[in-house]
Amino acid sequence: MEYVNPEGLRLDGRRPMEMRQIRAEIGVVSKADGSAVFEMGNTKVIAAVYGPREVQNRSQQSNDHALVRCEYSMANFSTGDRMRKPKGDRRSTEISLVIRQTMEACILTHLMPRSQIDIFVQVLQADGGTRSACINAATLALADAGIPMSDIVTSCSAGYLNGTPLLDLNYVEDSAGGPDVTVGILPKLDKVTLLQMDSKLQMETFENVMQLAIEGCKAVASYIREVLLENTKQLESRRGV
Amino acid sequence: MAGKSSAAAATYSPSLTGQRKKRPPIQTDSEWVRPDGRGLHQCRPAFLKTGAVNSASGSAYAEFGNTKVIVSVFGPRESKKAMMYSNAGRLNCNVSYTTFASPVRGQTPEAKDLSSMLHKALEGAIILKSFPKTTVDVFALVLESGGGDLPVITSCASLALADAGIMLYDMVASVSVSCIGKNLLIDPVSEEESYQDGSLMITCMPSRNEVTQMTVTGEWSTTKINEGMQLCLDACSKLGKIMRSCLKEAASGPQD
Amino acid sequence: MVGLSLGEQNFIKGGISQDLRTDGRKRLTYRPIFVETGIIPQASGSARVKLGVTDVIASVKAELGRPNPSYPDKGKVSIYVDCSPTAEPTFEGRGGEEFSTELSSALQKCLLGGKSGAGAGIDLSSLCIVGGKVCWDLYIDGLVVSSDGNVLDALGAAIKAALSNTAIPKVQVSANASSDEQPEVDVSDEEFLQFDTSGVGRHYIADATTAEESQMSSAVSLSINRQGQICGLMKRGGAVLDSSMILDMISVAKHVSEQLIKRLDSEIAAAEACDDDEMEL
């Protein structure tokens, strides 16, 4: 199947180096300490952060840093075919673990000992790149909750089909079976916190694809910063500053 | 005897679809004739007995027509360590069906739903403050499901609780009413339940005239609900009296 | 969830007895309702309803399936509610299962009516394609994104909106092939409405928030259709109620539900009009 046609356009009309449209909103779940909605094209994800709060399971409590927990669940209607079991399957457990490790790297946990931070991510619509959307949404939610972080984490995925590196794969391109590289970085510190890949790639091609994904992450980072700035301005005006 | 030894004898297997005649569509103004010959406002004869299970703190067996239920109560027992301290007791209910309870093997209605409904029905009647830090477990087993399961389970459970010596505000009696066309039938059997247009179930404490649970499905106008509720409350008070006499017999019986 | 102090509890109870709740509403007023339809493009119909802070999403998916052998000329509808942990941290993992089953069964009762299908919100025989062989299976999925009391009402409204937004392809059976078109099919025949009255002290309130719900002794959830008839009723909560109080609550519920039905209908129509405008553009 042709994923990049001879004119260089992909299946949804994008250029190979073009990302899908991003949209983010902060503070959707007023009950949570912090929450955000993140959309990458047709992939829509809600993240809610509860914490820091008292540890529920005393045995896991730690005296010198906070506990970070994460749960990833997909809604029944998020994929094209209705899913029977929204939580608890292997893929969800794996992604929960991945998100937890990624966010743990950037949260300054030593500032909040003996406490627990819960990150809940709910996928409303899945169209490829859910992992990245979840991490981006979680970053925004953590910022909304006012949890101290060393830097924001942004994530983006890239693949390699028909001899071209493609940025931000959607579901059709993802299920083509080609390689799919997901990268999560701390943009200001220029460090990589998450790197995952499916399938196989040659070393040089891999470097190209990873570089492309990192560019994507930086673009997301600038957008996220804009959103956070806008949000802060609103908060300021509400306070009458 | 000679007939039995022939191997080619046809084995008798009850076929459900053959027996169930296709009912003609119910005309709304026709009188419904009940399969067991009862009147519209007549409940099934009830057989209640306590002390059915020896190893339990309290137990009861109830037979309402074809619906047979056995309930055993364990407790008050120590709460699991995982549960936090509470100065009121805890109630834990579990309803399960045997595999042979329904006419088609293995097809059981939602037992999980029934457990939570039983819990809500009994919660209001038990004096939870009388057994802090402990749990009372109620296990209901439906041996045969002949219609009107949940009311029978609830009544039987309250009898078992009384047998176990748990303090109750009052006995809990439960009756359901079915609406077919314009007729209101009390205490439906499973055949009537499959044709019903609506059902109303009330669980109440008869002497205190208080309702612990009420469920309505189907379409009801206010007058119908009024009528249905009155029927149920009447039947509940009569059922309450039967339950009390059963308990009195059980208490005075062994002394003879 | 942090518990309420004695002072807060007294404040809530006192306010209710004086017909003034903590957010300024009267006892029987609903919070502002916000409806958005067609938010899930992959589903046959979907809606999102915000009742104050409570936020729920409902989606309807229609698939072809075989009818139940005991009801060969009726389609099938199954309702499943999922409580997302974003609403409540205690819903994580299997924590929300009990609540979800309670909501699913309550909604099923109201939507599907009695066993013979009478008094149901959906006319099941309209879902039949070929009697005994092919019928539509409607899968209604609800997702609770944020909960601040009165989730049942929000879910009922969301399902109603999603159903009115549902478009099922018309199937023509010719030999073994089936072709489809896309007319907008209104599936719900008798509109139904979920409604919740809670009793705090001796007064009744409608549309309780979580704080008020923690104080209420018992609640009655009613589902009323347009003709004013009651399609489903469930008493939740442990405390006991006098039978006269139940009848009282029923009449109060009927009165408030009329206004609610009007409001919901106008909101849904507005949402659909918005949707259509977007599609035309």
Side-chain angles (χ1 to χ4, degrees), chain A residues 3-15:
Chain A
Y3 293 100
V4 185
N5 68 19
E7 282 134 46
L9 291 177
R10 288 151 78 172
L11 291 167
D12 49 4
R14 283 185 285 157
R15 298 234 151 248

Side-chain angles (χ1 to χ4, degrees), chain A residues 52-179:
Chain A
R53 58 193 190 122
E54 199 179 323
V55 181
Q56 306 291 309
N57 196 349
R58 278 295 158 77
S59 60
Q60 292 174 342
Q61 191 176 332
S62 167
N63 277 333
D64 54 357
H65 63 261
L67 200 64
V68 177
R69 285 162 75 237
C70 176
E71 182 172 300
Y72 167 92
S73 49
M74 299 184 77
N76 263 341
F77 42 79
S78 55
T79 54
D81 302 317
R82 186 176 170 269
M83 277 183 70
R84 298 295 143 150
K85 207 171 161 226
K87 315 177 190 177
D89 59 319
R90 282 215 207 138
R91 186 172 166 270
S92 304
T93 329
E94 192 232 328
I95 299 187
S96 308
L97 183 69
V98 163
I99 299 180
R100 181 169 72 77
Q101 287 174 341
T102 319
M103 305 322 289
E104 219 171 353
C106 71
I107 300 179
L108 301 173
T109 48
H110 60 271
L111 291 177
M112 299 161 288
R114 286 182 288 274
S115 67
Q116 156 182 321
I117 300 176
D118 286 322
I119 308 174
F120 298 120
V121 186
Q122 175 82 40
V123 176
L124 296 177
Q125 268 172 254
D127 187 25
T130 43
R131 216 169 292 223
S132 308
C134 288
I135 292 179
N136 295 329
T139 301
L140 274 172
L142 284 168
D144 186 34
I147 293 184
M149 296 193 283
S150 52
D151 194 2
I152 56 174
V153 185
T154 54
S155 159
C156 194
S157 65
Y160 187 76
L161 287 170
N162 285 150
T164 1
L166 303 172
L167 181 60
D168 198 10
L169 304 171
N170 60 23
Y171 183 70
V172 184
E173 291 164 347
D174 203 358
S175 41

Side-chain angles (χ1 to χ4, degrees), chain B residues 112-113 123-124 193 195-197 205 209-212 214-222 225-226 229 233, chain C residues 97 102 105 109 115-116 118-119 190 225 229-235 238 240-243 246-247 254:
Chain B
K112 209 164 167 196
D113 194 20
E123 212 181 358
E193 273 185 345
Y195 288 114
Q196 70 186 4
D197 292 330
M205 301 199 282
N209 200 20
E210 278 178 359
V211 171
T212 57
M214 179 167 159
T215 331
V216 171
T217 51
E219 230 179 87
W220 293 75
S221 57
T222 328
I225 283 201
N226 253 319
M229 274 178 76
L233 292 172
Chain C
E97 232 177 82
E102 194 189 313
S105 57
K109 269 205 188 63
K115 278 203 187 136
S116 68
E190 288 174 33
N225 74 3
Q229 304 209 308
I230 299 176
C231 296
L233 184 152
M234 212 162 79
K235 180 191 166 301
V240 293
L241 281 180
D242 222 22
S243 38
I246 293 191
L247 290 170
K254 276 175 86 167

Side-chain angles (χ1 to χ4, degrees), chain C residues 182-193:
Chain C
Q182 292 270 354
E184 174 136 335
V185 173
D186 198 52
V187 179
S188 63
D189 211 13
E190 288 174 33
E191 319 286 337
F192 78 104
L193 179 74

Side-chain angles (χ1 to χ4, degrees), chain C residues 229-278:
Chain C
Q229 304 209 308
I230 299 176
C231 296
L233 184 152
M234 212 162 79
K235 180 191 166 301
R236 296 163 23 218
V240 293
L241 281 180
D242 222 22
S243 38
S244 55
M245 278 172 78
I246 293 191
L247 290 170
D248 235 355
M249 278 181 165
I250 294 177
S251 54
V252 163
K254 276 175 86 167
H255 171 69
V256 184
S257 69
E258 284 159 32
Q259 299 160 0
L260 187 58
I261 288 185
K262 278 193 217 118
R263 247 172 98 190
L264 250 177
D265 279 339
S266 60
E267 289 285 332
I268 294 179
E272 297 253 307
C274 213
D275 216 19
D276 287 335
D277 286 338
E278 279 175 22

Side-chain angles (χ1 to χ4, degrees), chain B residues 13 38 93 133 145 170 178 190:
Chain B
S13 60
R38 283 183 280 151
C93 294
K133 298 193 283 191
S145 156
D170 188 12
S178 217
S190 44

